[in-house]
Amino acid sequence: NTDDGPLHATGKDLAVMLHSYTRHGMYGDYFEGEANIDLTNRFVVLELDALNSMPDLQAVVLLILMMRITQAMYLSGNKSQRKLCIIDEAWRLMGRGSAGDFIAEGYRVARKHGGAFVTITQKVSDYFSSETAKAAYMNSDYSIFLRQKLAELSIAENAGYLDNSDGTVDVLRTLDTQQGKYSEIAINSPDGLSVVRFQVDQATEKIYSTKAEEVDFLKEQRARGVPFFDAINALVQRSAKR
């Protein structure tokens, strides 16, 4: 191959494109060293929020993780092991190329391998924003609804996303959430529609709280060296006094 030949030019282009992901590139710290993700653990959490500001890096990391998850769920040969892939804030991924294809395939084939997919998003209409989202919704045996804004329910009903001929939308309009006490949940399954109330003890409610002031309180306590559960108990007591 000559220096000005097409293969040489293609090789130079690939080298430039891949440089950022080598040990000398700007993302080298993410890829250099031993991979420490163990998907054989019973419970694995992959937190990618820190990559939202770096979409090019996020796309590569997502692709690698999807390959690893696919191997664990479909190619391990162990169909007796139940496997569950849960994707929070799924609206960010359901419309994207390879990520969207990964989710759509999961909903269609995971059950054949002893697995299941769960996607979590904010609005009913998110599941009709793309073909991938529709595939996820239509291939779900179980749809779980928390309280929705009345305007969102009206939009979903008028657009045909929800059918109120059997009173489903009317039931969804009655769902209530009492902060710190309980959340009502509607579960649509092959057995029909039912409403349950989700309630946890005060300590668990604080552990999973997303209130900014409570999250900040726990961070401050931990920074001062207070043990985690002592900080949780202090937060429970502080809330009880209000």
Side-chain angles (χ1 to χ4, degrees):
N1 300 323
T2 61
D3 288 346
D4 57 353
L7 291 179
H8 179 77
T10 300
K12 288 182 62 175
D13 290 342
L14 287 173
V16 171
M17 294 170 65
L18 294 174
H19 180 266
S20 296
Y21 306 96
T22 67
R23 70 176 64 183
H24 302 296
M26 60 188 296
Y27 299 136
D29 290 344
Y30 290 91
F31 298 96
E32 184 67 16
E34 183 180 355
N36 57 10
I37 294 178
D38 183 6
L39 296 183
T40 63
N41 287 334
R42 291 180 60 83
F43 184 69
V44 180
V45 177
L46 304 173
E47 176 58 74
L48 302 180
D49 276 358
L51 301 182
N52 286 341
S53 60
M54 298 177 283
D56 50 344
L57 174 62
Q58 188 180 57
V60 174
V61 173
L62 276 173
L63 182 61
I64 294 172
L65 292 177
M66 287 185 295
M67 291 174 62
R68 292 288 306 276
I69 293 171
T70 297
Q71 290 173 345
M73 293 195 73
Y74 310 146
L75 305 178
S76 66
N78 183 8
K79 294 187 178 182
S80 63
Q81 173 65 52
R82 295 297 184 182
K83 299 169 283 286
L84 183 63
C85 182
I86 305 174
I87 304 175
D88 195 11
E89 300 293 351
W91 57 270
R92 293 176 177 174
L93 301 179
M94 288 193 292
R96 297 185 182 181
S98 57
D101 293 341
F102 167 74
I103 294 173
E105 180 183 16
Y107 269 93
R108 290 188 171 98
V109 306
R111 68 187 67 187
K112 300 177 183 178
H113 299 270
F117 263 63
V118 176
T119 51
I120 305 171
T121 187
Q122 298 293 324
K123 303 184 299 182
V124 174
S125 56
D126 286 339
Y127 281 101
F128 296 86
S129 60
S130 68
E131 291 303 314
T132 296
K134 290 179 185 177
Y137 187 79
M138 296 302 178
N139 285 280
S140 297
D141 273 345
Y142 291 82
S143 299
I144 301 175
F145 302 88
L146 279 79
R147 184 183 65 181
Q148 298 277 305
K149 291 183 178 180
L150 296 181
E152 171 65 18
L153 290 174
S154 295
I155 292 173
E157 182 182 5
N158 293 334
Y161 302 157
L162 294 174
D163 183 5
N164 197 35
S165 61
D166 58 356
T168 295
V169 180
D170 292 335
V171 171
L172 297 183
R173 288 192 175 103
T174 69
L175 297 180
D176 187 28
T177 295
Q178 293 294 325
Q179 192 69 39
K181 296 181 179 180
Y182 63 82
S183 293
E184 290 180 340
I185 302 173
I187 304 175
N188 199 0
S189 73
D191 296 323
L193 182 69
S194 60
V195 176
V196 299
R197 183 171 287 184
F198 178 70
Q199 188 172 4
V200 298
D201 60 87
Q202 290 181 317
T204 301
E205 190 267 326
K206 297 306 180 188
I207 289 174
Y208 294 104
S209 174
T210 56
K211 287 184 178 179
E213 62 273 18
E214 295 185 344
V215 172
D216 288 341
F217 176 84
L218 292 177
K219 287 182 178 179
E220 292 170 1
Q221 293 292 301
R222 295 305 304 278
R224 291 170 50 194
V226 177
F228 179 70
F229 284 104
D230 289 346
I232 290 294
N233 288 331
L235 183 57
V236 170
Q237 294 172 10
R238 191 182 77 160
S239 299
K241 294 177 181 178
R242 293 182 174 179

